[in-house]
């Protein structure tokens, strides 16, 4: 036999079907041999009929072995050749009935290879080529049986051969396609799980080394100031980029091709001074909407870094209320003086109005600064902080 190799995953999906139909082949062979014992007294050439039954038995054994093997070289080609050979043997044996029996016999009885055994070719074609291949094979074998028995008259519509073979081909073809789709989904799930586990392993290693160093450089560079401030800024940018790389999924969570999970986009912004809390279940938005919300949160966190000081901490909370999303960004810095945002906008500084409020408004939502903390004398109150609240409506019907 040919050299051993690993089974093709695409073909392995239908392995249970191929093995099951070989048991069916054995049962149909036993039925055909039993039918031979009952019919041979009516044959005119009994020796030839037994020789043809021997051919049927030998071919059944060869085809059963080849179709059930999964570790042979060029397996798809071998299986295709066997299925084609199955049809040739079946059709040849069907027409050979005329050589062993008189017209009166084969016109009103089963052919030498019984209809049940001939169905093996239809079953194999259905598994190999799907429902269309199964139906085509059923039509071909049925046409051979009807022609060999000379039944091209009204009797053909009272015979069960045609509808039975076509039904078998259709049913097994659909089953094989379903098995292939299920196998493909299983393989994809296995790959995604393996990728997620590998990302988690790399994330732990990177967090214990590179991210901590980048965070330290950013913090110390900001504290020292001067020329090292640019180094701190670059280190902070690379820290964020690296966190995005190890936090985002390999593929966005997708529902109907238009949904993306907002959670990884927010958790990617986690740093030693930024804490993100999200629900346990996916929070799905359109791809553009999810990116806009994440960008608004990033802009709010950038303001915390710029105005609240190096030691300030920020907290991001994502809540799915069913009909709307609520995203809160709170810090423990000195807060924002009353009227400061309006003053900045009047001076032409559009960072908050465009990067935060404008993005959320474009999604049909609202962005509110819940409080602007400062004492009556106007001096900053250390630790008062500020909190943004974004509310984005959801339409679950979409």
């Amino acid at each position: 036999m040919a050299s051993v190799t690993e089974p093709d995953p695409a073909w392995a999906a239908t392995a249970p079907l191929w093995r099951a139909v070989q048991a069916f082949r054995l049962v149909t062979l036993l039925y055909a041999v039993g039918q031979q014992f009952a019919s041979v007294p009516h044959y005119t050439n009994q020796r030839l009929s037994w020789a043809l039954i021997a051919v049927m038995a030998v071919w059944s054994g060869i085809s059963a072995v080849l179709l059930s093997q999964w570790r042979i070289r060029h397996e798809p080609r071998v299986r295709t050749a066997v299925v084609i050979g199955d049809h040739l043997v079946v059709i040849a044996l069907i027409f050979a009935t005329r050589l062993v029996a008189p017209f009166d016999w084969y016109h009103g009885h089963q052919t030498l290879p019984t209809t049940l055994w001939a169905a093996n070719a239809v079953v194999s074609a259905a598994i190999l080529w799907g429902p269309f291949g199964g139906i085509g094979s059923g039509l071909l074998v049925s046409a051979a049986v009807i022609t060999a028995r000379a039944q091209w008259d009204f009797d053909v519509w009272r015979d069960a051969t045609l509808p039975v073979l076509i039904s078998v081909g259709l049913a097994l073809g659909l089953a094989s396609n379903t098995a292939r789709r299920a196998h493909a989904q299983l393989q994809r799930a296995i790959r995604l799980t393996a990728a997620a586990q590998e990302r988690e392993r790399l994330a732990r290693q990177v967090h214990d080394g590179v991210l901590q160093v980048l965070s330290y450089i950013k913090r110390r560079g900001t504290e020292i100031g001067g020329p090292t401030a640019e180094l701190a800024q670059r280190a902070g940018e690379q820290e964020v980029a690296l966190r995005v790389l190890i936090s985002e999924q390999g593929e966005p969570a997708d529902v109907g091709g238009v949904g993306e999970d907002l959670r990884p986009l927010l958790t990617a912004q986690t740093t030693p001074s930024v804490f993100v809390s999200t629900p346990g279940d996916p929070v799905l938005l359109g791809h553009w909407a999810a990116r806009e919300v994440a960008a608004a949160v990033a802009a709010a966190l950038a303001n915390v870094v710029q105005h609240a000081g190096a030691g300030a901490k920020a907290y991001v909370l994502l809540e799915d209320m069913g009909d709307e999303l609520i995203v809160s960004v709170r810090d423990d810095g000195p807060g924002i003086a009353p009227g400061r945002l309006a003053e900045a906008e009047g001076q032409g500084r559009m960072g908050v109005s465009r990067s935060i409020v404008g993005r959320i408004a474009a999604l049909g939502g609202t962005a509110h600064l819940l409080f602007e903390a400062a004492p009556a004398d106007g001096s900053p109150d250390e630790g008062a902080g500020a909190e943004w609240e974004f509310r984005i409506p959801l339409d679950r019907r979409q």
Side-chain angles (χ1 to χ4, degrees):
M1 185 173 289
S3 301
V4 175
T5 184
E6 289 299 319
D8 185 352
W11 290 87
T14 54
L17 288 175
W18 283 113
R19 295 191 176 110
V21 299
Q22 303 322 310
F24 175 75
R25 186 183 294 269
L26 174 61
V27 172
T28 58
L29 176 63
L30 295 176
Y31 173 77
V33 172
Q35 183 67 24
Q36 167 69 7
F37 279 103
S39 303
V40 70
H42 304 281
Y43 292 161
T44 56
N45 194 338
Q46 297 182 2
R47 290 184 179 180
L48 179 59
S49 69
W50 284 112
L52 295 176
I53 290 296
V55 170
M56 183 191 309
V58 171
W59 174 254
S60 295
I62 294 174
S63 58
V65 170
L66 293 177
L67 291 176
S68 60
Q69 292 298 314
W70 297 95
R71 295 181 179 275
I72 56 178
R73 181 177 296 177
H74 307 307
E75 172 193 320
R77 295 181 182 178
V78 171
R79 186 163 288 108
T80 301
V82 172
V83 173
I84 294 175
D86 223 356
H87 286 77
L88 295 178
V89 171
V90 166
I91 294 173
L93 289 175
I94 288 173
F95 282 99
T97 305
R98 292 193 170 197
L99 301 178
V100 300
F103 175 83
D104 293 339
W105 173 259
Y106 64 72
H107 181 68
H109 297 80
Q110 291 191 77
T111 56
L112 178 73
T114 63
T115 302
L116 196 60
W117 187 85
N120 286 289
V122 179
V123 169
S124 298
I127 298 177
L128 182 64
W129 295 311
F132 292 106
I135 293 174
S137 174
L139 290 172
L140 177 62
V141 175
S142 298
V145 170
I146 294 170
T147 302
R149 295 173 62 187
Q151 286 188 329
W152 292 106
D153 50 30
F154 184 73
D155 287 342
V156 70
W157 306 112
R158 294 201 295 260
D159 191 286
T161 301
L162 180 63
V164 167
L165 292 181
I166 292 179
S167 299
V168 168
L170 175 61
L172 268 295
L174 293 174
S176 66
N177 282 356
T178 300
R180 291 188 182 95
R181 286 195 297 268
H183 185 77
Q185 292 174 355
L186 176 62
Q187 293 298 315
R188 181 174 180 271
I190 292 174
R191 289 194 297 270
L192 290 177
T193 300
Q197 293 175 347
E198 181 65 13
R199 277 195 302 275
E200 291 178 1
R201 185 185 67 82
L202 292 176
R204 290 192 296 268
Q205 294 181 353
V206 172
H207 181 271
D208 293 340
V210 180
L211 287 178
Q212 290 183 353
V213 172
L214 290 174
S215 178
Y216 176 76
I217 294 174
K218 181 181 69 174
R219 184 172 66 255
R220 289 294 296 156
T222 302
E223 293 174 355
I224 296 173
T228 61
E230 182 180 358
L231 177 63
Q233 179 182 357
R234 299 299 182 190
E237 293 173 354
Q238 293 305 311
E239 180 189 5
V240 172
L242 187 55
R243 289 185 185 278
V244 170
L245 179 63
I246 64 178
S247 297
E248 286 189 327
Q249 296 292 328
E251 297 182 22
D254 186 69
V255 175
V258 296
E260 182 168 358
D261 192 354
L262 179 59
R263 299 176 303 164
L265 301 179
L266 298 185
T267 56
Q269 303 184 47
T270 303
T271 68
S273 59
V274 176
F275 304 90
V276 179
S277 178
T278 62
D281 296 327
V283 179
L284 299 175
L285 285 176
H287 180 79
W288 173 77
R291 298 287 171 168
E292 287 295 283
V293 173
V297 172
L301 294 175
N303 283 337
V304 173
V305 174
Q306 184 175 358
H307 300 292
K313 291 182 172 55
Y315 306 87
V316 179
L317 174 62
L318 172 63
E319 299 175 276
D320 187 349
M321 308 305 293
D323 58 347
E324 68 174 354
L325 292 182
I326 300 179
V327 184
S328 303
V329 182
R330 180 173 61 86
D331 67 75
D332 60 0
I336 301 175
R340 182 69 185 96
L341 296 181
E343 179 183 348
E345 186 174 353
Q347 294 173 352
R349 301 173 64 182
M350 309 300 290
V352 171
S353 63
R354 290 182 178 176
S355 297
I356 299 178
V357 179
R359 278 194 167 99
I360 302 301
L363 299 175
T366 58
H368 295 293
L369 185 61
L370 296 186
F371 53 88
E372 297 173 307
D377 58 5
S379 61
D381 181 13
E382 187 69 29
E387 180 175 357
W388 282 98
E389 183 181 81
F390 309 146
R391 289 180 175 267
I392 300 98
L394 297 176
D395 186 356
R396 297 297 189 188
R397 294 172 299 177
Q398 297 179 357

